[in-house]
């Protein structure tokens, strides 16, 4: 994989309106998330509809509470490894919400200003697929090569940056396996 003009090739592009300019143009953090819509169900177009403000609140009882949210991620990795990009990496996606990051001796807030958000289609208890780990490792390697301020030490979870609100990608995410797959690509 490679990054061309802020877009990951060969990811499928589906532009989200839920984005704006990064205030300083900085990309120095990668935040991993998980999402399934409806909760615990995989496949379908509901995630894409949420990130593009087209989620039908009547399509499922859960959707009535979230249909008006204005959220996005840079990238979604489906269960089969397909990558769907909603926001170019040079722009700010609306994924981390109220969160903070201990950046050396400094605590930073407003993480969307400098973070890339990658959503894995899944929940916190169902194991992620090998195809997802391989796609995530490939996308991460492309990001690390393209953005020098982003390092392997600057990859974290939504749970770590918003610990009182979020738990994703959860205990089902195998950090050691992800790092092993990333190491295969980077060596």
């Amino acid at each position: 994989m490679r990054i061309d003009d802020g877009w990951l090739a060969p990811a499928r592009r589906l532009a989200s309106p839920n984005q704006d300019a990064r205030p300083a143009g900085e990309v120095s953090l990668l935040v991993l998330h998980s999402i399934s819509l409806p909760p615990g169900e995989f496949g379908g177009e509901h995630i894409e509809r949420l990130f593009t403000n087209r989620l039908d609140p009547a399509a499922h009882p859960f959707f009535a509470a979230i249909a008006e949210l204005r959220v996005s991620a840079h990238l979604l990795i489906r269960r089969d490894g397909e990558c769907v990009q909603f926001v170019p990496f040079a722009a700010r996606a609306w994924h981390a919400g109220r969160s903070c990051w201990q950046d050396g001796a400094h605590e930073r807030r407003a993480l969307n200003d400098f973070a890339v958000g990658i959503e894995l289609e899944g929940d916190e208890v169902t194991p992620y697929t090998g195809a997802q780990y391989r796609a995530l490792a490939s996308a991460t390697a492309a990001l690390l090569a393209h953005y020098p301020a982003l390092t392997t030490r600057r990859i974290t979870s939504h749970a770590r940056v918003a610990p009182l609100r979020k738990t994703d990608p959860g205990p089902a995410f195998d950090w050691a396996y992800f790092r092993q797959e990333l190491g295969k690509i980077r060596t």
Side-chain angles (χ1 to χ4, degrees), residues 29-35 75 77 95 115-120 128 133 136-137 140 143 154-161 166-170 173-175 178-179:
L29 183 67
L30 173 56
V31 179
L32 302 181
H33 304 260
S34 66
I35 187 169
L75 193 64
I77 301 177
H95 62 94
V116 167
I118 297 181
E119 293 275 1
L120 297 164
Y128 297 91
Y133 285 108
L136 176 60
T140 301
L143 287 163
R154 301 179 69 83
I155 300 171
T156 192
S157 67
H158 202 191
R160 291 213 45 218
V161 300
K166 299 295 182 175
T167 57
D168 59 311
F173 186 77
D174 188 336
W175 285 95
F178 162 61
R179 292 191 188 284

Side-chain angles (χ1 to χ4, degrees), residues 5-35:
D5 219 15
W7 295 93
L8 184 69
R12 178 167 54 93
R13 294 182 190 183
L14 183 60
S16 172
N18 304 327
Q19 62 174 296
D20 54 10
R22 290 187 187 275
E26 176 187 357
V27 175
S28 62
L29 183 67
L30 173 56
V31 179
L32 302 181
H33 304 260
S34 66
I35 187 169

